């Protein structure tokens, strides 16, 4: 685990976060700067820098992000939501530990800005 990775630190419990779901593979926690009434992140516990770094052996856990994200969204009271993965700075990625945003509770525009 890279010692400078913010989400690895949250996973390790070194930085506090409002956890919504946790098991041996994944963690879901509220985004610190929510962009919608419901906005949380789902991350694999394994450090993977971003979507382009997902290896074949990671396919199962990346699929699990979607299953758990949907389950937590329901727990949060939303049936409709947007899922976002940013890859690279130009796309808006600021934390280089792959994460799935789940946003909902308001209407969304398309295309995104
Ligand atoms: P990105 O821009 O890389 O796709 O998303 C990173 C997300 O992490 C942002 O939405 C940002 O608000 C969130 N974030 C950054 N630092 C923290 C933190 O310390 N705690 C939590 N819970 N979220 C964070
Ligand atoms: Zn990490």
């Amino acid at each position: 685990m890279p010692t400078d990775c913010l989400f690895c630190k949250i996973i390790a419990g070194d930085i506090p976060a409002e956890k919504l779901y946790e098991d041996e593979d994944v963690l879901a926690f509220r985004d610190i700067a929510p962009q919608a009434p419901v906005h949380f992140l789902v991350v694999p516990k394994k450090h993977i820098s971003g979507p382009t770094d997902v290896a074949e052996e990671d396919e199962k856990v990346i699929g699990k992000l979607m299953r758990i994200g949907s389950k937590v969204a329901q727990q949060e009271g939303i049936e409709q939501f947007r899922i976002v993965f940013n890859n690279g700075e130009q796309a808006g990625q600021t934390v280089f530990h792959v994460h799935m945003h789940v946003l909902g509770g308001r209407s969304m525009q398309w295309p995104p800005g």
Side-chain angles (χ1 to χ4, degrees):
M1 147 190 151
T3 50
D4 59 344
C5 174
L6 178 65
F7 290 170
C8 281
K9 287 179 184 164
I10 286 177
I11 291 161
D14 296 340
I15 291 177
E18 193 182 340
K19 296 179 181 180
L20 299 174
Y21 175 90
E22 182 168 19
D23 66 21
E24 65 275 23
D25 304 314
V26 305
L27 175 67
F29 56 97
R30 268 189 224 290
D31 197 292
I32 204 167
Q35 302 301 311
V38 175
H39 183 183
F40 61 89
L41 305 171
V42 195
V43 302
K45 288 196 166 176
K46 176 185 175 184
H47 180 87
I48 301 166
S49 298
T52 20
D53 302 289
V54 171
E56 204 170 338
E57 66 185 29
D58 304 323
E59 286 175 357
K60 196 168 176 185
V61 75
I62 296 301
K64 188 168 179 180
L65 299 183
M66 203 162 283
R67 183 171 67 79
I68 297 303
S70 301
K71 183 173 148 165
V72 174
Q74 273 198 325
Q75 282 168 15
E76 289 291 301
I78 53 169
E79 297 281 342
Q80 301 177 54
F81 48 86
R82 179 170 293 179
I83 280 174
V84 174
F85 286 89
N86 292 323
N87 187 69
E89 279 175 29
Q90 192 177 35
Q93 187 178 6
T94 58
V95 178
F96 290 84
H97 179 127
V98 74
H99 50 280
M100 190 181 85
H101 293 260
V102 180
L103 300 119
R106 65 167 170 83
S107 53
M108 302 278 166
Q109 306 304 311
W110 192 265

